[in-house]
Amino acid sequence: MFDLSALGIGYGSLLMLGSMILLLLTGMQLAFVTALVALVFAIGWFGFGALPLITSRLYGFVGSYVFLAVPMFVLMAALLDRSGIARDLFDAMKVFGCRLRGGVAVQTLLVAIVLASMSGVIGGETVLLGILALPQMLRLGYNRKLAIGTTCAGGALGTMLPPSIVLIIYGLTASVSIGDLFKAAFLPALILAFFYMAYVLIICRLNPEYAPLPSEEELAAEQDVNYFKALLFPLLTVMTVLGSIYSGIASVTEASALGVVGIMISAAIRGELTLDMLKDSAKATMSTCGMIIWIGIGATALVGVYNLMGGIDFVEETILTLSGGSVMGTVLIMMLVLLVLGMFLDWVGVALLTMPIFVPIISSLGLNPIWFGVVFCLNMQVSFLSPPFGPAAFYLKSVAPKDISLGEIFSSLLPFIGLQITVLALVIFFPELALWWQ
Protein backbone atom coordinates (compact mmCIF):
# COMPACT_ATOMS: atom_id res chain seq x y z
CA MET A 1 0.00 0.00 0.00
CA PHE A 2 1.19 3.52 -0.78
CA ASP A 3 2.69 5.29 2.26
CA LEU A 4 0.86 8.62 2.48
CA SER A 5 3.10 9.80 5.33
CA ALA A 6 5.92 10.24 2.79
CA LEU A 7 4.03 13.27 1.46
CA GLY A 8 4.54 15.26 4.67
CA ILE A 9 1.84 17.12 6.54
CA GLY A 10 1.70 20.04 4.09
CA TYR A 11 0.99 18.02 0.96
CA GLY A 12 -1.02 15.55 3.03
CA SER A 13 -3.33 18.38 4.16
CA LEU A 14 -3.81 19.53 0.57
CA LEU A 15 -4.52 15.97 -0.58
CA MET A 16 -7.04 15.48 2.24
CA LEU A 17 -8.82 18.75 1.42
CA GLY A 18 -8.79 18.01 -2.32
CA SER A 19 -10.21 14.54 -1.72
CA MET A 20 -13.06 15.96 0.35
CA ILE A 21 -13.93 18.60 -2.25
CA LEU A 22 -13.85 16.05 -5.07
CA LEU A 23 -16.10 13.61 -3.21
CA LEU A 24 -18.54 16.38 -2.21
CA LEU A 25 -18.80 17.42 -5.86
CA THR A 26 -19.96 13.91 -6.71
CA GLY A 27 -23.00 14.48 -4.48
CA MET A 28 -21.87 12.21 -1.65
CA GLN A 29 -23.14 13.22 1.79
CA LEU A 30 -20.68 15.05 4.06
CA ALA A 31 -20.92 12.37 6.76
CA PHE A 32 -19.75 9.63 4.39
CA VAL A 33 -17.14 11.86 2.74
CA THR A 34 -15.42 12.61 6.03
CA ALA A 35 -15.63 8.99 7.21
CA LEU A 36 -14.19 7.65 3.94
CA VAL A 37 -11.34 10.18 3.84
CA ALA A 38 -10.57 9.48 7.52
CA LEU A 39 -10.43 5.72 6.86
CA VAL A 40 -8.18 6.04 3.80
CA PHE A 41 -5.73 8.42 5.50
CA ALA A 42 -5.67 6.43 8.75
CA ILE A 43 -4.65 3.28 6.89
CA GLY A 44 -2.43 5.06 4.35
CA TRP A 45 -0.60 7.18 6.94
CA PHE A 46 -0.36 4.86 9.96
CA GLY A 47 -1.45 1.40 8.83
CA PHE A 48 -4.32 -0.72 10.10
CA GLY A 49 -3.13 -0.35 13.68
CA ALA A 50 -4.61 3.17 13.82
CA LEU A 51 -8.21 2.02 13.38
CA PRO A 52 -8.84 1.28 17.12
CA LEU A 53 -7.83 4.87 17.89
CA ILE A 54 -10.59 6.14 15.60
CA THR A 55 -13.24 3.96 17.22
CA SER A 56 -12.23 5.17 20.68
CA ARG A 57 -12.76 8.80 19.57
CA LEU A 58 -16.15 7.94 18.12
CA TYR A 59 -17.25 6.35 21.38
CA GLY A 60 -16.20 9.47 23.26
CA PHE A 61 -18.33 11.64 20.96
CA VAL A 62 -21.57 9.63 20.94
CA GLY A 63 -21.23 8.66 24.62
CA SER A 64 -21.23 12.23 25.93
CA TYR A 65 -23.95 12.80 28.54
CA VAL A 66 -24.53 16.39 27.41
CA PHE A 67 -25.29 15.12 23.89
CA LEU A 68 -28.64 13.90 25.25
CA ALA A 69 -29.77 17.53 25.24
CA VAL A 70 -29.70 17.62 21.43
CA PRO A 71 -32.59 15.18 20.75
CA MET A 72 -34.59 16.72 23.60
CA PHE A 73 -34.40 20.24 22.19
CA VAL A 74 -35.06 18.96 18.67
CA LEU A 75 -38.11 17.13 20.00
CA MET A 76 -39.26 20.37 21.66
CA ALA A 77 -39.04 22.12 18.29
CA ALA A 78 -40.93 19.30 16.56
CA LEU A 79 -43.74 19.36 19.15
CA LEU A 80 -43.91 23.15 18.95
CA ASP A 81 -44.13 22.97 15.16
CA ARG A 82 -47.12 20.62 15.34
CA SER A 83 -49.06 22.41 18.08
CA GLY A 84 -50.92 25.71 17.91
CA ILE A 85 -48.77 27.36 20.59
CA ALA A 86 -46.70 29.42 18.14
CA ARG A 87 -49.79 30.48 16.17
CA ASP A 88 -51.60 31.70 19.28
CA LEU A 89 -48.48 33.51 20.48
CA PHE A 90 -48.29 35.39 17.18
CA ASP A 91 -52.02 36.22 17.28
CA ALA A 92 -51.74 37.55 20.84
CA MET A 93 -49.20 40.16 19.76
CA LYS A 94 -51.14 41.43 16.74
CA VAL A 95 -52.88 44.15 18.73
CA PHE A 96 -49.50 45.66 19.64
CA GLY A 97 -48.03 45.10 16.19
CA CYS A 98 -50.89 46.59 14.20
CA ARG A 99 -50.79 49.91 16.08
CA LEU A 100 -47.18 50.76 15.26
CA ARG A 101 -45.71 51.48 11.83
CA GLY A 102 -43.52 48.46 11.22
CA GLY A 103 -45.04 46.88 14.32
CA VAL A 104 -45.96 43.55 12.72
CA ALA A 105 -42.33 43.10 11.63
CA VAL A 106 -41.16 43.94 15.17
CA GLN A 107 -43.83 41.58 16.50
CA THR A 108 -42.43 38.86 14.25
CA LEU A 109 -38.97 39.39 15.73
CA LEU A 110 -40.33 39.29 19.30
CA VAL A 111 -42.16 36.04 18.57
CA ALA A 112 -38.92 34.72 17.02
CA ILE A 113 -37.08 35.47 20.27
CA VAL A 114 -39.64 33.53 22.32
CA LEU A 115 -39.69 30.60 19.90
CA ALA A 116 -35.87 30.50 19.82
CA SER A 117 -35.82 30.42 23.63
CA MET A 118 -38.16 27.43 23.54
CA SER A 119 -36.48 25.25 20.92
CA GLY A 120 -33.05 26.43 19.67
CA VAL A 121 -33.56 24.92 16.18
CA ILE A 122 -33.69 27.37 13.26
CA GLY A 123 -35.37 25.16 10.67
CA GLY A 124 -38.70 24.77 12.45
CA GLU A 125 -38.71 28.38 13.64
CA THR A 126 -38.11 29.79 10.15
CA VAL A 127 -40.87 27.61 8.69
CA LEU A 128 -43.31 28.60 11.46
CA LEU A 129 -42.66 32.31 10.92
CA GLY A 130 -42.90 31.81 7.17
CA ILE A 131 -46.38 30.33 7.65
CA LEU A 132 -47.59 32.77 10.32
CA ALA A 133 -45.87 36.12 9.81
CA LEU A 134 -44.92 36.45 6.14
CA PRO A 135 -48.50 36.17 4.74
CA GLN A 136 -49.71 38.61 7.42
CA MET A 137 -47.14 41.28 6.45
CA LEU A 138 -47.74 40.81 2.74
CA ARG A 139 -51.52 41.08 3.28
CA LEU A 140 -51.05 44.35 5.18
CA GLY A 141 -49.06 45.79 2.27
CA TYR A 142 -45.58 45.62 3.80
CA ASN A 143 -42.61 46.06 1.50
CA ARG A 144 -41.86 42.56 0.18
CA LYS A 145 -38.14 42.65 0.87
CA LEU A 146 -38.65 43.96 4.39
CA ALA A 147 -41.23 41.25 5.13
CA ILE A 148 -39.08 38.47 3.67
CA GLY A 149 -35.87 39.63 5.33
CA THR A 150 -37.49 40.08 8.75
CA THR A 151 -39.10 36.65 8.66
CA CYS A 152 -35.97 34.82 7.55
CA ALA A 153 -33.51 36.68 9.80
CA GLY A 154 -35.84 36.35 12.78
CA GLY A 155 -36.13 32.61 12.23
CA ALA A 156 -32.34 32.27 12.29
CA LEU A 157 -32.10 33.81 15.78
CA GLY A 158 -32.38 30.27 17.15
CA THR A 159 -28.68 29.90 16.32
CA MET A 160 -27.72 32.40 19.00
CA LEU A 161 -30.40 32.42 21.67
CA PRO A 162 -30.15 29.71 24.35
CA PRO A 163 -30.93 26.83 24.21
CA SER A 164 -29.19 26.91 20.82
CA ILE A 165 -28.24 23.52 19.35
CA VAL A 166 -25.22 25.26 17.76
CA LEU A 167 -23.95 26.26 21.21
CA ILE A 168 -24.46 22.72 22.50
CA ILE A 169 -22.48 21.18 19.64
CA TYR A 170 -19.73 23.78 20.09
CA GLY A 171 -19.57 23.01 23.81
CA LEU A 172 -19.23 19.30 23.06
CA THR A 173 -16.42 19.78 20.54
CA ALA A 174 -14.59 22.47 22.52
CA SER A 175 -15.06 20.75 25.91
CA VAL A 176 -16.40 23.90 27.60
CA SER A 177 -19.41 24.46 29.84
CA ILE A 178 -22.62 24.71 27.83
CA GLY A 179 -24.26 26.60 30.67
CA ASP A 180 -21.50 29.23 30.45
CA LEU A 181 -21.98 29.38 26.68
CA PHE A 182 -25.69 30.04 27.17
CA LYS A 183 -24.91 32.92 29.54
CA ALA A 184 -22.29 34.34 27.17
CA ALA A 185 -24.53 34.22 24.08
CA PHE A 186 -27.58 35.77 25.71
CA LEU A 187 -26.54 39.45 25.54
CA PRO A 188 -25.07 39.36 21.99
CA ALA A 189 -28.23 37.58 20.79
CA LEU A 190 -30.43 40.29 22.30
CA ILE A 191 -28.19 42.99 20.79
CA LEU A 192 -28.59 41.37 17.37
CA ALA A 193 -32.38 41.19 17.79
CA PHE A 194 -32.42 44.83 18.94
CA PHE A 195 -30.43 45.84 15.83
CA TYR A 196 -33.01 44.04 13.67
CA MET A 197 -35.89 45.86 15.37
CA ALA A 198 -34.15 49.24 15.20
CA TYR A 199 -33.49 48.75 11.49
CA VAL A 200 -37.15 47.87 10.86
CA LEU A 201 -38.49 50.85 12.80
CA ILE A 202 -36.03 53.31 11.24
CA ILE A 203 -36.60 52.20 7.65
CA CYS A 204 -40.39 52.25 8.16
CA ARG A 205 -40.14 55.72 9.64
CA LEU A 206 -38.12 56.94 6.67
CA ASN A 207 -40.36 55.11 4.19
CA PRO A 208 -43.92 55.02 5.56
CA GLU A 209 -45.13 53.15 2.48
CA TYR A 210 -43.02 50.16 3.60
CA ALA A 211 -45.47 49.44 6.44
CA PRO A 212 -49.01 50.80 6.02
CA LEU A 213 -51.14 50.96 9.18
CA PRO A 214 -54.29 48.78 9.12
CA SER A 215 -57.78 50.19 9.06
CA GLU A 216 -60.02 50.41 12.14
CA GLU A 217 -62.04 47.45 10.86
CA GLU A 218 -58.90 45.29 10.68
CA LEU A 219 -57.85 46.38 14.16
CA ALA A 220 -61.27 45.48 15.54
CA ALA A 221 -61.01 42.03 13.96
CA GLU A 222 -57.81 41.36 15.90
CA GLN A 223 -59.38 41.91 19.33
CA ASP A 224 -60.85 38.44 19.76
CA VAL A 225 -57.76 36.77 21.23
CA ASN A 226 -57.42 34.80 24.45
CA TYR A 227 -54.23 36.46 25.74
CA PHE A 228 -53.97 34.31 28.85
CA LYS A 229 -54.06 31.08 26.84
CA ALA A 230 -51.79 32.44 24.13
CA LEU A 231 -49.03 33.83 26.36
CA LEU A 232 -49.09 31.52 29.38
CA PHE A 233 -47.68 28.33 27.86
CA PRO A 234 -44.80 29.85 25.85
CA LEU A 235 -43.64 32.00 28.78
CA LEU A 236 -43.88 29.08 31.22
CA THR A 237 -41.81 26.92 28.88
CA VAL A 238 -39.12 29.59 28.49
CA MET A 239 -39.01 30.14 32.26
CA THR A 240 -38.80 26.39 32.88
CA VAL A 241 -35.93 25.78 30.44
CA LEU A 242 -33.79 28.90 30.82
CA GLY A 243 -34.74 29.61 34.43
CA SER A 244 -33.70 26.14 35.58
CA ILE A 245 -30.37 26.44 33.73
CA TYR A 246 -29.43 29.95 34.87
CA SER A 247 -30.54 29.36 38.45
CA GLY A 248 -28.49 26.17 38.68
CA ILE A 249 -31.51 24.03 39.50
CA ALA A 250 -30.99 21.80 36.46
CA SER A 251 -28.23 21.02 34.01
CA VAL A 252 -28.67 21.70 30.30
CA THR A 253 -29.58 18.05 29.69
CA GLU A 254 -32.10 17.99 32.53
CA ALA A 255 -33.60 21.33 31.42
CA SER A 256 -34.09 19.99 27.89
CA ALA A 257 -36.15 17.11 29.27
CA LEU A 258 -38.17 19.54 31.41
CA GLY A 259 -38.86 21.58 28.25
CA VAL A 260 -40.20 18.54 26.41
CA VAL A 261 -42.48 17.70 29.35
CA GLY A 262 -43.63 21.32 29.48
CA ILE A 263 -44.54 21.42 25.78
CA MET A 264 -46.35 18.07 26.03
CA ILE A 265 -48.36 19.23 29.07
CA SER A 266 -49.19 22.51 27.29
CA ALA A 267 -50.34 20.64 24.18
CA ALA A 268 -52.40 18.23 26.31
CA ILE A 269 -54.15 21.08 28.15
CA ARG A 270 -54.89 22.73 24.80
CA GLY A 271 -56.32 19.43 23.53
CA GLU A 272 -53.68 19.09 20.80
CA LEU A 273 -51.62 16.17 22.11
CA THR A 274 -52.45 13.13 19.96
CA LEU A 275 -50.71 9.89 19.09
CA ASP A 276 -50.19 11.04 15.50
CA MET A 277 -48.59 14.26 16.72
CA LEU A 278 -46.18 12.32 18.93
CA LYS A 279 -45.32 9.92 16.10
CA ASP A 280 -44.63 12.73 13.63
CA SER A 281 -42.55 14.61 16.19
CA ALA A 282 -40.53 11.49 17.03
CA LYS A 283 -39.86 10.78 13.35
CA ALA A 284 -38.72 14.36 12.72
CA THR A 285 -36.48 14.21 15.79
CA MET A 286 -34.87 10.93 14.73
CA SER A 287 -34.25 12.27 11.22
CA THR A 288 -32.55 15.45 12.47
CA CYS A 289 -30.54 13.74 15.20
CA GLY A 290 -29.52 10.96 12.84
CA MET A 291 -28.07 13.56 10.49
CA ILE A 292 -26.19 15.27 13.33
CA ILE A 293 -24.81 11.99 14.70
CA TRP A 294 -23.64 10.70 11.31
CA ILE A 295 -21.92 13.99 10.49
CA GLY A 296 -20.42 13.94 13.97
CA ILE A 297 -19.07 10.43 13.54
CA GLY A 298 -17.43 11.23 10.21
CA ALA A 299 -16.05 14.59 11.33
CA THR A 300 -14.75 13.21 14.63
CA ALA A 301 -12.94 10.41 12.79
CA LEU A 302 -11.44 12.83 10.26
CA VAL A 303 -10.26 15.34 12.87
CA GLY A 304 -8.84 12.51 14.99
CA VAL A 305 -6.78 11.19 12.08
CA TYR A 306 -5.66 14.69 11.11
CA ASN A 307 -4.55 15.39 14.68
CA LEU A 308 -2.48 12.19 14.69
CA MET A 309 -0.87 13.34 11.44
CA GLY A 310 0.25 16.55 13.17
CA GLY A 311 -2.45 18.66 11.58
CA ILE A 312 -3.14 20.99 14.51
CA ASP A 313 0.48 22.11 14.73
CA PHE A 314 0.56 22.60 10.95
CA VAL A 315 -2.67 24.65 10.89
CA GLU A 316 -1.55 26.75 13.87
CA GLU A 317 1.82 27.47 12.27
CA THR A 318 0.16 28.32 8.93
CA ILE A 319 -2.42 30.67 10.46
CA LEU A 320 0.16 32.42 12.66
CA THR A 321 2.42 32.85 9.65
CA LEU A 322 -0.38 34.35 7.55
CA SER A 323 -1.42 36.67 10.38
CA GLY A 324 2.15 37.79 11.07
CA GLY A 325 1.83 36.61 14.67
CA SER A 326 -1.04 39.00 15.37
CA VAL A 327 -3.68 37.63 17.74
CA MET A 328 -6.47 39.63 16.10
CA GLY A 329 -5.18 38.67 12.64
CA THR A 330 -5.36 35.02 13.65
CA VAL A 331 -8.98 35.40 14.81
CA LEU A 332 -9.95 37.22 11.59
CA ILE A 333 -8.39 34.49 9.43
CA MET A 334 -10.38 31.89 11.37
CA MET A 335 -13.53 33.94 10.83
CA LEU A 336 -12.85 34.06 7.10
CA VAL A 337 -12.37 30.28 6.98
CA LEU A 338 -15.62 29.74 8.92
CA LEU A 339 -17.50 32.16 6.68
CA VAL A 340 -16.38 30.43 3.50
CA LEU A 341 -17.04 26.93 4.87
CA GLY A 342 -20.43 28.04 6.17
CA MET A 343 -21.51 29.00 2.66
CA PHE A 344 -21.04 25.44 1.41
CA LEU A 345 -21.25 23.06 4.39
CA ASP A 346 -23.84 22.38 7.06
CA TRP A 347 -23.07 24.13 10.36
CA VAL A 348 -22.72 20.77 12.14
CA GLY A 349 -19.93 19.78 9.77
CA VAL A 350 -18.25 23.18 10.09
CA ALA A 351 -18.30 22.98 13.90
CA LEU A 352 -17.10 19.40 14.17
CA LEU A 353 -14.40 19.81 11.52
CA THR A 354 -12.91 23.14 12.62
CA MET A 355 -13.46 23.60 16.34
CA PRO A 356 -11.20 20.74 17.50
CA ILE A 357 -8.45 22.48 15.52
CA PHE A 358 -9.29 26.14 16.16
CA VAL A 359 -10.11 26.01 19.89
CA PRO A 360 -6.64 24.75 20.98
CA ILE A 361 -5.10 27.57 18.93
CA ILE A 362 -7.44 30.09 20.59
CA SER A 363 -6.51 28.75 24.04
CA SER A 364 -2.78 28.86 23.24
CA LEU A 365 -3.15 32.54 22.34
CA GLY A 366 -4.66 33.24 25.75
CA LEU A 367 -8.17 33.89 24.43
CA ASN A 368 -11.33 32.65 26.10
CA PRO A 369 -12.94 29.65 24.33
CA ILE A 370 -16.34 30.70 25.73
CA TRP A 371 -16.01 34.04 23.94
CA PHE A 372 -14.87 32.23 20.79
CA GLY A 373 -17.99 30.06 20.96
CA VAL A 374 -20.18 33.17 20.78
CA VAL A 375 -18.07 34.49 17.89
CA PHE A 376 -18.45 31.14 16.12
CA CYS A 377 -22.24 31.19 16.53
CA LEU A 378 -22.43 34.74 15.18
CA ASN A 379 -20.38 33.60 12.21
CA MET A 380 -22.80 30.74 11.64
CA GLN A 381 -25.62 33.32 11.82
CA VAL A 382 -24.07 35.01 8.79
CA SER A 383 -23.65 31.71 6.94
CA PHE A 384 -27.30 30.74 7.58
CA LEU A 385 -28.42 33.75 5.54
CA SER A 386 -25.59 33.98 2.98
CA PRO A 387 -25.82 32.80 -0.63
CA PRO A 388 -25.43 30.44 -2.34
CA PHE A 389 -26.55 27.81 0.19
CA GLY A 390 -27.87 29.77 3.19
CA PRO A 391 -30.19 27.18 4.78
CA ALA A 392 -32.57 29.73 6.33
CA ALA A 393 -33.41 31.02 2.84
CA PHE A 394 -34.23 27.49 1.66
CA TYR A 395 -36.38 26.84 4.74
CA LEU A 396 -38.37 29.99 4.02
CA LYS A 397 -38.64 29.21 0.32
CA SER A 398 -40.31 25.89 1.17
CA VAL A 399 -43.34 27.70 2.65
CA ALA A 400 -43.23 31.12 0.92
CA PRO A 401 -45.68 32.10 -1.85
CA LYS A 402 -44.65 30.69 -5.22
CA ASP A 403 -43.90 34.12 -6.69
CA ILE A 404 -41.08 34.66 -4.16
CA SER A 405 -37.83 33.35 -5.64
CA LEU A 406 -34.63 32.34 -3.85
CA GLY A 407 -32.90 35.29 -5.49
CA GLU A 408 -35.43 37.68 -3.97
CA ILE A 409 -35.02 36.06 -0.55
CA PHE A 410 -31.22 36.39 -0.64
CA SER A 411 -31.38 40.02 -1.82
CA SER A 412 -33.87 40.77 0.98
CA LEU A 413 -31.41 39.41 3.52
CA LEU A 414 -28.49 41.69 2.61
CA PRO A 415 -29.29 44.44 5.19
CA PHE A 416 -29.68 41.80 7.91
CA ILE A 417 -26.37 40.17 6.96
CA GLY A 418 -24.79 43.61 7.34
CA LEU A 419 -26.28 43.88 10.84
CA GLN A 420 -24.98 40.40 11.71
CA ILE A 421 -21.47 41.33 10.60
CA THR A 422 -21.70 44.53 12.67
CA VAL A 423 -22.60 42.60 15.84
CA LEU A 424 -19.90 40.02 15.04
CA ALA A 425 -17.32 42.81 14.83
CA LEU A 426 -18.55 44.30 18.11
CA VAL A 427 -18.15 40.98 19.96
CA ILE A 428 -14.72 40.38 18.40
CA PHE A 429 -13.37 43.79 19.39
CA PHE A 430 -15.29 44.04 22.68
CA PRO A 431 -15.15 40.53 24.25
CA GLU A 432 -16.82 41.81 27.43
CA LEU A 433 -20.13 41.75 25.53
CA ALA A 434 -19.92 37.95 25.71
CA LEU A 435 -18.14 37.74 29.07
CA TRP A 436 -20.34 40.24 30.95
CA TRP A 437 -21.46 37.61 33.44
CA GLN A 438 -18.00 36.69 34.72
Side-chain angles (χ1 to χ4, degrees):
M1 179 177 291
F2 181 71
D3 183 10
L4 293 177
S5 62
L7 295 173
I9 186 60
Y11 288 110
S13 299
L14 289 175
L15 180 60
M16 180 177 282
L17 178 62
S19 302
M20 287 184 59
I21 293 174
L22 184 62
L23 289 172
L24 286 171
L25 289 175
T26 66
M28 185 182 294
Q29 294 292 325
L30 177 63
F32 302 116
V33 168
T34 51
L36 178 60
V37 172
L39 184 62
V40 170
F41 272 80
I43 297 173
W45 200 279
F46 302 104
F48 287 96
L51 295 182
L53 296 176
I54 296 178
T55 57
S56 65
R57 280 185 60 90
L58 297 183
Y59 181 80
F61 170 74
V62 299
S64 173
Y65 171 69
V66 181
F67 194 74
L68 286 173
V70 174
M72 289 292 102
F73 283 126
V74 174
L75 181 57
M76 278 180 62
L79 290 169
L80 185 65
D81 184 31
R82 286 155 180 80
S83 71
I85 295 175
R87 182 188 63 249
D88 285 353
L89 175 64
F90 186 82
D91 289 342
M93 300 184 72
K94 282 182 182 177
V95 174
F96 157 75
C98 289
R99 283 172 166 75
L100 177 69
R101 194 173 297 280
V104 177
V106 173
Q107 164 196 337
T108 300
L109 293 170
L110 289 172
V111 171
I113 291 173
V114 177
L115 294 180
S117 300
M118 293 171 68
S119 66
V121 180
I122 76 154
E125 186 179 341
T126 304
V127 169
L128 277 173
L129 291 177
I131 294 172
L132 298 174
L134 183 57
Q136 172 79 351
M137 285 188 278
L138 295 177
R139 181 182 65 80
L140 291 173
Y142 271 59
N143 176 271
R144 280 169 63 94
K145 288 194 173 183
L146 179 64
I148 294 167
T150 302
T151 304
C152 200
L157 283 172
T159 311
M160 281 296 299
L161 277 164
S164 164
I165 301 297
V166 180
L167 288 170
I168 294 174
I169 295 297
Y170 174 86
L172 286 169
T173 56
S175 299
V176 296
S177 167
I178 294 174
D180 289 347
L181 283 170
F182 283 0
K183 295 175 185 176
F186 192 74
L187 181 58
L190 290 184
I191 291 174
L192 181 60
F194 172 78
F195 274 34
Y196 286 170
M197 294 179 197
Y199 166 74
V200 167
L201 292 176
I202 290 171
I203 199 170
C204 290
R205 177 78 178 215
L206 297 175
N207 304 276
E209 71 277 8
Y210 277 24
L213 291 174
S215 65
E216 290 300 321
E217 291 78 12
E218 289 175 311
L219 286 175
E222 305 293 353
Q223 297 291 333
D224 188 21
V225 177
N226 187 333
Y227 294 99
F228 180 77
K229 174 185 175 182
L231 296 175
L232 177 64
F233 298 120
L235 294 180
L236 279 179
T237 302
V238 172
M239 290 171 60
T240 299
V241 175
L242 298 185
S244 61
I245 294 173
Y246 290 145
S247 65
I249 296 175
S251 67
V252 173
T253 304
E254 293 163 343
S256 66
L258 286 174
V260 170
V261 173
I263 292 288
M264 291 179 67
I265 292 175
S266 300
I269 294 174
R270 293 165 54 90
E272 297 169 342
L273 187 65
T274 64
L275 185 58
D276 287 339
M277 176 188 178
L278 291 175
K279 285 181 179 179
D280 291 343
S281 300
K283 288 178 181 177
T285 301
M286 287 190 289
S287 175
T288 301
C289 292
M291 177 270 293
I292 293 175
I293 290 173
W294 276 110
I295 292 178
I297 288 173
T300 301
L302 183 67
V303 171
V305 171
Y306 191 58
N307 287 350
L308 289 175
M309 292 164 55
I312 287 185
D313 293 336
F314 172 74
V315 171
E316 180 175 5
E317 181 181 338
T318 301
I319 292 178
L320 291 176
T321 300
L322 292 173
S323 66
S326 166
V327 173
M328 188 55 63
T330 300
V331 172
L332 293 178
I333 289 174
M334 289 181 179
M335 292 299 97
L336 180 61
V337 171
L338 291 174
L339 185 62
V340 173
L341 289 177
M343 291 181 179
F344 300 99
L345 297 180
D346 187 274
W347 68 266
V348 182
V350 175
L352 295 173
L353 286 171
T354 59
M355 290 306 104
I357 298 173
F358 284 179
V359 172
I361 299 174
I362 289 295
S363 299
S364 70
L365 294 173
L367 299 174
N368 193 317
I370 298 290
W371 162 80
F372 190 69
V374 177
V375 171
F376 166 73
C377 280
L378 280 168
N379 204 297
M380 290 299 98
Q381 271 274 309
V382 178
S383 73
F384 276 133
L385 304 187
S386 298
F389 300 117
F394 284 88
Y395 288 133
L396 183 60
K397 174 60 180 171
S398 67
V399 294
K402 294 186 181 299
D403 62 327
I404 295 178
S405 66
L406 267 177
E408 185 176 9
I409 294 176
F410 279 124
S411 65
S412 303
L413 289 170
L414 292 179
F416 295 91
I417 293 173
L419 294 174
Q420 289 175 334
I421 294 173
T422 300
V423 177
L424 174 60
L426 286 174
V427 176
I428 289 176
F429 290 105
F430 300 98
E432 56 269 19
L433 291 174
L435 302 176
W436 56 274
W437 50 277
Q438 290 187 338

